[in-house]
Amino acid sequence: MKDADADLGEDEDRIFLSNMPGLMAGLAASTRRDLVLAWKRPGDVLNPLFFFVMVLILFPLALGPSAEQLQAIGPGVVWVAALLAMLISLNSLFSADYEDGSLEQWLVSPQPLPVLALGKSVAHWMTSGLPLVLLSPLLAATYGLPAKVIVVLLVTLSLGTIILSLLGSIGAALTVGLHRGTALLSLLVLPLAMPVLLLGSNSVSLAAGNETHTAGVWALAAYATAAISLAPYATAAALRISNE
Amino acid sequence: MTAKLSGRDLTLFRGERCLFKRLNFALNPGEMLLLEGANGSGKTSLLKAILGMLELETGEVSWNGEPVRNRRQRFHAALAWMAHRVGFKADLTLLENLEFERALRPQRGDDIVSVLERLGIERLRQLPMRSLSAGQQRRAALARMLIADVPLWLMDEPFTNLDRAGRALVFKLVREHLGRGGMCVVAAHQDVDIDATIHRIELR
């Protein structure tokens, strides 16, 4: 009798696995869905980007056109603007899914929640982090940063925005059920994002001063790796708690 | 023989309030569980507790005789959930929404358009969800259940917003699903006109 039960179990395992849509299908679908949504509602993507551009244009106007001064503050300003623009874009990450009930559908899906959450973070980075990264060389050039510094800026911003997308998804998941969770979200995410800001802007400053800057870049890469592998699990756990 | 889906000793508190205490049920293929009770009596909470979205105070829900908390993924692969909120993105078309569902759970492999035809909403398939009426959105939620290859349907007030023909359609679909050896857990105000074994839980 016991053997028969075991056989049945194995058989069920096989049917279960053959029927299930794959993990990659889940990841691709959740990424694709959010990309299509961003395409249909470009305002959500353009707002943070507009903010980023405005901050970077307004600083030189307010501080005066001294090339030396602009070069000195450039790395810091670009990084702070990027950080804040990412925070702005995070507010709406899960709130729409919560409101319309699609989050509930995710929670009762056999597709692992971390996989779906990772797909959402990928889409979020592609629609908010990547545009910032692509625009930054143009804006950094207006601060008179030399080309090799801009390369460092590109690399650190890419890594930094990936980290911020993932950290932000944890914060957004924790505050999803709350009305006006915006301030709380910033409070949750900013402390975790501080190392990113310090490492990123200092690496760029060091590169501008012709000093070794690779340590900071590697540290950011390590942080990004840790965030990619761990943050989706934290986001998933937070979503389950928030939905109770 | 153990029941396919069973709940033993279920107790749930929301805040200070006890919604139900030491509740038991058992459900086998072809059977239906009807949750009855006034508004706010905890029908939806019971459904969510079965789904594992709410933490039970005591007791355990079992699928195939195994506690679902240990095998959540296995249990979720066997069910479809029709919630109060339809769970579709308002900016995506009906077809795009259902295509996304294909990645979420096992699929029957039917052509989506023919399923929509059965539900009478196939001509709306290229329209964004937001332009559909509430009743049409409920029909779309039914399409999600029909394309999924799952034995267990959980439905929270499936008749809301539906016209007379829509309600008859829900009865027909549930009847067919039960006839295939499926199971339904339904929370409803009105009585159901279905010729099958119906277990009832009255919540108050």
Side-chain angles (χ1 to χ4, degrees):
Chain A
M1 191 61 213
K2 202 158 196 172
D3 284 338
D5 269 358
D7 279 351
L8 189 69
E10 264 174 38
D11 207 33
E12 263 181 28
D13 276 348
R14 199 172 43 75
I15 295 171
F16 169 70
L17 286 173
S18 69
N19 258 358
M20 268 290 291
L23 292 182
M24 288 314 283
L27 182 68
S30 90
T31 306
R32 193 172 159 270
R33 191 193 70 157
D34 272 33
L35 289 178
V36 174
L37 279 171
W39 178 254
K40 296 198 175 185
R41 275 209 320 222
D44 292 357
V45 176
L46 292 177
N47 273 343
L49 202 59
F50 187 66
F51 171 84
F52 180 67
V53 173
M54 288 313 286
V55 170
L56 289 181
I57 288 176
L58 289 178
F59 255 92
L61 289 180
L63 287 173
S66 146
E68 230 167 78
Q69 199 179 19
L70 285 183
Q71 259 182 20
I73 61 161
V77 173
V78 175
W79 258 97
V80 170
L83 177 67
L84 293 177
M86 288 299 282
L87 272 184
I88 292 176
S89 67
L90 280 171
N91 283 329
S92 51
L93 190 60
F94 288 109
S95 54
D97 289 338
Y98 178 75
E99 298 291 333
D100 65 23
S102 34
L103 190 57
E104 239 171 53
Q105 291 296 330
W106 285 23
L107 290 176
V108 299
S109 147
Q111 213 40 278
L113 197 50
V115 171
L116 297 173
L118 180 61
K120 235 180 133 62
S121 291
V122 171
H124 177 258
W125 181 74
M126 286 170 79
T127 53
S128 54
L130 190 59
L132 295 188
V133 173
L134 294 178
L135 265 183
S136 61
L138 201 66
L139 293 158
T142 64
Y143 282 76
L145 296 180
K148 71 174 176 52
V149 178
I150 291 182
V151 173
V152 178
L153 181 71
L154 267 179
V155 174
T156 53
L157 262 188
S158 310
L159 292 169
T161 46
I162 289 173
I163 299 169
L164 291 173
S165 272
L166 289 156
L167 288 180
S169 77
I170 304 174
L174 277 173
T175 54
V176 69
L178 309 174
H179 296 290
R180 300 193 177 76
T182 317
L184 191 58
L185 173 65
S186 311
L187 278 177
L188 282 171
V189 175
L190 276 179
L192 293 167
M194 274 311 116
V196 182
L197 178 68
L198 296 177
L199 289 168
S201 61
N202 280 331
S203 299
V204 182
S205 294
L206 287 174
N210 273 325
E211 289 172 72
T212 32
H213 54 269
T214 40
V217 179
W218 285 116
L220 271 181
Y223 198 171
T225 314
I228 292 171
S229 28
L230 298 177
Y233 291 96
T235 304
L239 285 174
R240 288 198 193 281
I241 296 169
S242 297
N243 203 62
E244 277 217 348
Chain B
M1 152 139 187
T2 49
K4 196 78 175 153
L5 174 73
S6 63
R8 188 177 48 79
D9 223 13
L10 309 180
T11 307
L12 181 73
F13 280 89
R14 293 297 269 165
E16 292 291 293
R17 205 174 142 235
C18 177
L19 288 178
F20 45 84
K21 207 175 201 170
R22 309 216 162 275
L23 201 74
N24 294 293
F25 68 84
L27 198 62
N28 277 306
E31 296 176 352
M32 174 171 168
L33 179 65
L34 188 64
L35 312 179
E36 295 168 306
N39 290 331
S41 58
K43 300 191 291 291
T44 304
S45 296
L46 176 53
L47 281 168
K48 286 188 173 178
I50 294 173
L51 286 162
M53 274 192 262
L54 293 179
E55 198 72 37
L56 283 160
E57 199 73 21
T58 67
E60 218 156 44
V61 177
S62 300
W63 175 251
N64 282 336
E66 289 189 72
V68 296
R69 85 174 71 206
N70 302 342
R71 320 193 85 180
R72 185 155 56 183
Q73 193 186 18
R74 187 66 58 93
F75 179 52
H76 284 170
L79 66 82
W81 163 230
M82 183 172 176
H84 176 63
R85 292 174 293 190
V86 285
F88 288 125
K89 302 307 287 184
D91 289 308
L92 298 184
T93 66
L94 178 52
L95 213 52
E96 284 169 336
N97 271 307
L98 289 172
E99 286 291 347
F100 173 70
E101 292 291 323
R102 284 201 183 279
L104 284 189
R105 56 182 65 82
Q107 296 294 308
R108 214 179 274 290
D110 294 359
D111 178 31
I112 290 183
V113 177
S114 65
V115 170
L116 294 180
E117 239 161 60
R118 276 201 71 193
L119 296 167
I121 47 174
E122 86 280 3
R123 67 198 162 78
L124 309 168
R125 62 182 184 270
Q126 300 292 2
L127 290 179
M129 213 62 195
R130 68 166 75 255
S131 59
L132 270 60
S133 77
Q136 289 167 334
Q137 294 197 10
R138 297 300 286 184
R139 285 171 189 248
L142 286 170
R144 170 194 281 132
M145 325 279 287
L146 287 178
I147 60 172
D149 184 17
V150 292
L152 177 62
W153 287 4
L154 293 112
M155 307 166 109
D156 190 8
E157 305 281 359
F159 308 108
T160 319
N161 291 328
L162 285 176
D163 53 16
R164 190 190 297 265
R167 286 197 292 273
L169 185 66
V170 173
F171 284 137
K172 183 158 167 272
L173 295 176
V174 168
R175 217 176 288 130
E176 282 177 12
H177 183 65
L178 295 175
R180 279 194 298 264
M183 284 159 278
C184 290
V185 181
V186 179
H189 293 298
Q190 68 178 107
D191 204 30
V192 294
D193 163 34
I194 287 170
D195 181 30
T197 315
I198 301 182
H199 305 277
R200 287 166 198 271
I201 294 180
E202 173 89 36
L203 293 165
R204 65 189 115 240

